[in-house]
Amino acid sequence: GSSVGYQIRLESKKSQDTRLLFCTAGILLRRLTEDRELVGVSHVVVDEVHERSVDGDLLLILLRHVLKKREGTAFPLKVILMSA
């Protein structure tokens, strides 16, 4: 259905009805440059967090800032870190 989508580089399959979006760390970093508080996002799942990279490390730092900004608000952000 249209409730699940994905976005990688120049390819995207999502709609206004999308509630779950699979995307790369780079896509999420780009979104964070435009939306520093990830408005409308309730959860972020970061998979393969043990695979260190510049993008991955930067993403974790920025997500930590978003967590602090949204802490105690009506819509706190939940971040789930997964590793093998």
Side-chain angles (χ1 to χ4, degrees):
S2 61
S3 61
V4 178
Y6 69 90
Q7 185 174 359
I8 53 172
R9 290 194 181 129
L10 301 175
E11 187 178 345
S12 178
K13 178 82 173 180
K14 62 182 181 175
S15 71
Q16 292 290 83
D17 298 327
T18 300
R19 297 293 170 248
L20 176 63
L21 180 70
F22 290 92
C23 67
T24 62
I27 295 294
L28 190 52
L29 283 171
R30 188 177 319 137
R31 174 149 182 195
L32 279 163
T33 64
E34 299 166 0
D35 177 8
R36 296 210 163 230
E37 294 188 22
L38 293 177
V39 175
V41 175
S42 61
H43 294 72
V44 173
V45 178
V46 181
D47 194 15
E48 305 294 343
V49 75
H50 66 279
E51 294 181 6
R52 304 289 303 274
S53 69
V54 173
D55 280 356
D57 289 354
L58 180 58
L59 178 62
L60 293 177
I61 290 167
L62 294 174
L63 285 174
R64 184 174 177 190
H65 289 291
V66 176
L67 282 169
K68 287 180 182 179
K69 284 182 184 177
R70 289 182 45 182
E71 186 178 24
T73 68
F75 302 101
L77 180 67
K78 306 290 185 193
V79 175
I80 299 124
L81 304 178
M82 296 183 5
S83 180

